[in-house]
RNA sequence: GCGCCUCUAGCUCAAUGGCAGAGCAACGGACUCUUAAUCCGCAGGUUCUGGGUUCGAAUCCCAGGGGGCGCACCA
């Protein structure tokens, strides 16, 4: 490519910095060393040492020798003395490097260390005259050479595109990013512990499915070559987990990735993580209580309290202290819109209400979809800003897998949980009447034929067969893990709690553009034997 | 899909139609107690891409691309 010839010199630029670092790799090899050694016997982490020796007086000498390792984040050269700040997974620690201790050769090797390199060091644990806990280095070893420079040591990396595409760099330099994913991990672990303690069994069900059911969403489509079969990535966990309750696993859950072929926003990623829980002999009332237990414990375990920052309202907080209020959706519609509605109203009346409220509707919608549309567009975003809110009694028409409310077949025993205007959970008493379930599936197929692109296009015959063997009374629940992580970490965007969010692809050519290849390293090791490109 | 905003050195940001700059990082040097070390010096640019307007464009206009936010979509 002629690009190389046209490109002007970049001394001090990225290309130059990487060439200089590649030269150092070659120099280490030329001296018989290994810039990428096999392992390092670390005896203590940064946190270990801060915990054991955090209270020492300035100028203390402990006589304790430890081996530490980490990435070099800061360097302060003082002539014959060098301070390195190294970061490991537990925190940061200072290395005190003296030419008098290391000798000329050892000290010269430390001079070659760059920001971003991984190093291992062994020496006495001391504090400096200013009182900083340090390892007074007796020997130091390069563990991995970094060829690319780190972002600004003080300002870090703030460009969101780069932060998401190069999450590894974000995690190196941004403590906030590390904290967010620690909170997420603790929340997930907590949910799992709570369910395990209550006797729930964790399972894994298929991601690749012949028909994607259990929610209203457009699936991703793929193809299995050997079976010559179109397959779909799952949009929910529900139908397989209820099959397992039929099989006698009375308390079952799965934490899993689901995929929906929809738009991307601060609250939506095409692949996201749900936990779904099914509990035989329980109903939606029990599931609301379980939801509360799970999220409250996650808050305690992840952030140590019930008060969280409101993600979208600076300065405001949300109090998760139980018990959370429970309200019927029709009551909430009246409270927030002033309109009185019911699924028992005729369609014309409800359409007129939608018109007054400027809620869009389609001609094939029945009373249930119209009521739900009003709730969805006008009420949901206003719920849960001070305390979480359970909304319940959802129309049957929008709840094809939920059990009808006793004495009111047009409504179901279903609830959703709202916190900060966002839906975090959805649950119900499960529909276990196979005849009625078949009717609901057939209505969905009809809706699909009317043009509802998210309705199931086929009847899931195997699921109906399972129901015919008898699904006991069962309560079900789905919780959006990403949104729980957003809530507990205080992050306003789902991309901040997903390590590698979905983005448009980056050109591989751009990434590779300045890659250091073997020829560069050879040139550096044996200058003069190659003519250069 | 639509609207608004945004893209300048490896990173963080200036330059509002008139010489493309700073800090950090890099490079050369001084320094045995620093804490974003300090000090001296030096270098680094496809101003996202392609057109256009203009004596002159990072800046204005058009088209395209990346990103952000909002809307739409999202039981």
């Amino acid at each position: 490519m002629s690009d190389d010839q046209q490109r002007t010199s970049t001394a001090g630029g990225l290309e130059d910095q990487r060439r200089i670092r590649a030269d150092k790799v070659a120099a280490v090899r030329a001296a018989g060393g290994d810039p990428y050694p096999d392992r390092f016997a670390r005896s203590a982490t940064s946190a270990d040492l801060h915990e054991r020796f955090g209270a020492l007086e300035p100028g203390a000498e402990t006589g304790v020798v430890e081996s530490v390792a980490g990435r070099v984040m800061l360097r302060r050269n003082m002539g014959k003395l060098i301070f390195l700040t190294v970061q490991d997974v537990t925190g940061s620690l200072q290395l005190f490097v003296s030419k008098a201790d290391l000798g000329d050769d050892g000290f010269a090797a430390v001079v070659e260390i760059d920001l971003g390199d991984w190093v291992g060091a062994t020496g006495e644990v001391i504090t400096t005259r200013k009182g900083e806990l340090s390892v007074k280095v007796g020997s130091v070893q390069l563990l991995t050479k970094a060829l690319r420079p780190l972002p600004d040591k003080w300002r870090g990396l703030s460009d969101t595109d780069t932060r998401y595409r190069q999450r590894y760099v974000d995690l190196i330099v941004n403590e906030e990013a590390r904290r967010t994913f620690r909170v997420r991990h603790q929340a997930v672990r907590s949910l799992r512990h709570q369910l395990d303690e209550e006797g729930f069994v964790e399972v894994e069900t298929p991601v690749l499915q012949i028909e994607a059911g259990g929610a209203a969403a457009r699936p991703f489509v793929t193809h299995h070559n050997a079976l010559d079969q179109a397959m779909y990535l799952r949009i929910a966990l529900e139908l397989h987990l209820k099959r397992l309750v039929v099989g006698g696993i009375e308390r079952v859950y799965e934490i899993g990735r689901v995929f929906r072929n929809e738009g991307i926003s601060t609250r939506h990623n095409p692949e996201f993580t749900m936990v779904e829980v099914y509990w035989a002999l329980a109903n939606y009332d029990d599931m609301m209580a379980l939801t509360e237990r799970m999220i409250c414990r996650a808050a305690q375990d992840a952030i140590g309290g019930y008060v969280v920052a409101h993600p979208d309202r600076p300065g405001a907080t949300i109090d998760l202290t139980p018990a959370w209020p429970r309200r019927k959706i029709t009551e909430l519609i009246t409270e927030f819109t002033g309109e009185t509605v019911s699924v028992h109203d005729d369609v014309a009346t409800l359409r007129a209400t939608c018109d007054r409220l400027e809620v869009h509707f389609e001609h094939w919608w029945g009373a249930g979809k119209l009521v739900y549309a009003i709730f969805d567009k006008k009420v949901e975003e206003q719920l849960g800003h001070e305390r979480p809110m359970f909304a319940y009694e959802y129309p049957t028409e929008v709840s094809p897998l939920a059990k009808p409310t006793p004495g009111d077949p047009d409504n179901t025993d279903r609830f959703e949980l709202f916190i900060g205007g966002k839906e975090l959970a959805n649950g119900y008493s499960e529909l276990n009447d196979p005849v009625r379930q078949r009717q609901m599936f057939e209505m969905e197929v009809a809706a699909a034929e009317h043009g509802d692109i998210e309705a199931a296009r086929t009847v899931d015959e195997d699921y109906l067969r399972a129901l015919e063997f008898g699904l006991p009374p069962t309560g079900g629940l789905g919780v959006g893990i990403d949104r729980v992580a957003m809530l507990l970490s205080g992050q306003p965007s789902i991309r901040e709690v997903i390590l590698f969010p979905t983005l448009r692809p980056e050109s591989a050519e751009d990434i590779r553009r300045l890659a250091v290849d073997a020829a560069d390293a050879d040139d550096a090791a044996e200058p003069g034997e190659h003519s250069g490109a």
Side-chain angles (χ1 to χ4, degrees), chain A residues 1 11 25 30 55 71 103 112 119 121 218 224 240 353 386-387 393 402 453 456 469 472 481 492 517 524:
Chain A
M1 299 254 270
V25 170
R71 188 187 297 276
E112 296 301 302
V119 299
R218 302 168 73 175
H224 189 283
H240 281 91
T353 306
E386 293 171 3
R387 302 184 61 197
E393 206 173 82
I453 54 176
F469 280 96
I481 297 278
D517 60 25

Side-chain angles (χ1 to χ4, degrees), chain A residues 58-134:
Chain A
E61 296 180 356
T62 64
V64 175
V65 173
E66 297 285 1
S67 293
V68 297
R71 188 187 297 276
V72 176
M73 298 302 292
L74 294 171
R75 192 188 56 201
R76 295 174 288 279
N77 282 20
M78 307 290 301
K80 298 188 179 70
L81 195 59
I82 298 175
F83 297 92
L84 299 176
T85 300
V86 299
Q87 173 177 288
D88 65 24
V89 71
T90 69
S92 293
L93 183 69
Q94 179 168 274
L95 300 184
F96 179 101
V97 183
S98 163
K99 192 171 189 176
D101 295 332
L102 272 185
D104 288 353
D105 290 349
F107 194 79
V110 175
V111 169
E112 296 301 302
I113 296 292
D114 290 300
L115 297 185
D117 290 355
W118 275 81
V119 299
T122 302
E124 182 185 359
V125 179
I126 63 159
T127 57
T128 62
R129 287 177 202 164
K130 295 280 175 61
E132 176 82 14
L133 184 68
S134 307

Side-chain angles (χ1 to χ4, degrees), chain A residues 47 81 171 282 300 336 366 383 498 500 529:
Chain A
L81 195 59
L171 290 167
Q300 289 294 343
F336 286 99
L383 300 179
I498 293 177
F500 299 100
E529 291 197 0

Side-chain angles (χ1 to χ4, degrees), chain A residues 180-247:
Chain A
T180 295
F181 290 102
R182 208 154 46 230
V183 166
R184 181 180 175 127
H185 158 70
Q186 286 163 341
V188 171
R189 185 177 59 177
S190 176
L191 296 174
R192 186 175 266 127
H193 280 177
Q194 182 68 29
L195 291 167
D196 289 347
E197 282 177 12
E198 296 195 23
F200 288 87
V201 174
E202 183 173 10
V203 298
E204 295 177 86
T205 63
V207 172
L208 289 173
Q209 303 183 345
I210 301 301
E211 49 196 323
R218 302 168 73 175
F220 286 90
V221 188
T222 185
H223 185 263
H224 189 283
N225 289 336
L227 296 179
D228 190 22
Q229 169 72 54
M231 300 199 83
Y232 301 90
L233 273 59
R234 65 184 174 189
I235 57 174
L237 313 177
E238 178 156 359
L239 298 182
H240 281 91
L241 293 177
K242 284 194 281 191
R243 284 175 170 93
L244 295 175
V245 179
V246 170

Side-chain angles (χ1 to χ4, degrees), chain A residues 346-358:
Chain A
D346 60 57
V347 166
T349 303
L350 290 168
R351 285 179 175 173
T353 306
C354 284
D355 286 337
R356 275 199 299 281
L357 295 173
E358 297 180 315

